[in-house]
Amino acid sequence: MSATATASTELTDLLSTLAKHRGFLRYTVQGLTDEQARQTPTASALSLGGLIKHVRNVEEGWMRFAVGGAELMESVQEDWVDGFRMVEGETLEGLLADYEETAAKTERLLADLDLNTAHPLPVAPWFEPGASWTVRRVLLHLIAETSQHSGHADILRESVDGQKTMG
């Protein structure tokens, strides 16, 4: 198998895995009203709509990093308060549409990127000083982030109305 075919297969596998976990997250909120999606039914301040919004924002930020490194990633100011909740005027339907748009954009961008391209990470206490991540590592991080928050969403959904994603 050629290097190009191997890279193409790897990207297909990674994107398929990300799509699967995006699907779990979307499934968890199906049938909810905007009011239910805004609820914070646990000790956490997280809501289901807020999780959708957060995962989308994280994906957008990391894809800016994959394309142009820390400088491009940090070119958009993150809203650390409202980035985790549905604000007045936002709907679950709108947040899901935005998430779908981001997913499509991610897939288009990754089709043109080399998974081995690396950029130095932004300076932050949670990153190892001087470390770099490849586009591959970014994609793996997005899979982990989406999976983790899908689990959070399961707990929130069960707390809202008893519905379980699995089982």
Side-chain angles (χ1 to χ4, degrees):
M1 183 180 287
S2 72
T4 302
T6 300
S8 175
T9 301
E10 179 182 19
L11 179 59
T12 299
D13 289 348
L14 291 168
L15 286 174
S16 173
T17 301
L18 180 57
K20 175 179 152 185
H21 292 282
R22 283 186 190 125
F24 288 147
L25 185 57
R26 284 191 310 271
Y27 182 83
T28 302
V29 300
Q30 109 182 0
L32 289 177
T33 65
D34 291 339
E35 181 181 311
Q36 289 172 312
R38 279 191 181 84
Q39 288 179 11
T40 55
T42 66
S44 167
L46 292 175
S47 69
L48 287 158
L51 278 177
I52 298 288
K53 186 177 180 179
H54 168 68
V55 171
R56 179 209 181 212
N57 289 340
V58 166
E59 186 167 325
E60 290 272 335
W62 279 109
M63 287 313 300
R64 285 192 304 276
F65 176 85
V67 170
E71 184 178 340
L72 188 57
M73 181 185 210
E74 295 173 331
S75 68
V76 173
Q77 183 66 37
E78 296 294 330
D79 183 343
W80 293 105
V81 175
D82 288 340
F84 284 90
R85 65 187 190 98
M86 287 177 66
V87 296
E88 189 66 35
E90 288 180 327
T91 64
L92 182 57
E93 182 180 348
L95 292 173
L96 287 168
D98 290 347
Y99 189 39
E100 286 298 316
E101 180 183 306
T102 294
K105 188 165 110 181
T106 293
E107 292 182 18
R108 285 191 307 273
L109 287 170
L110 287 169
D112 294 330
L113 294 175
D114 180 343
L115 293 176
N116 294 314
T117 299
H119 303 288
L121 289 169
V123 175
W126 47 87
F127 292 131
E128 179 184 341
S132 293
W133 277 13
T134 62
V135 172
R136 177 182 295 100
R137 177 86 181 263
V138 166
L139 189 47
L140 290 167
H141 179 72
L142 290 177
I143 291 166
E145 179 88 9
T146 304
S147 299
Q148 178 179 17
H149 288 311
S150 290
H152 295 148
D154 283 339
I155 293 166
L156 292 171
R157 177 64 188 254
E158 191 171 357
S159 298
V160 167
D161 66 1
Q163 177 69 36
K164 296 178 185 177
T165 301
M166 305 283 261

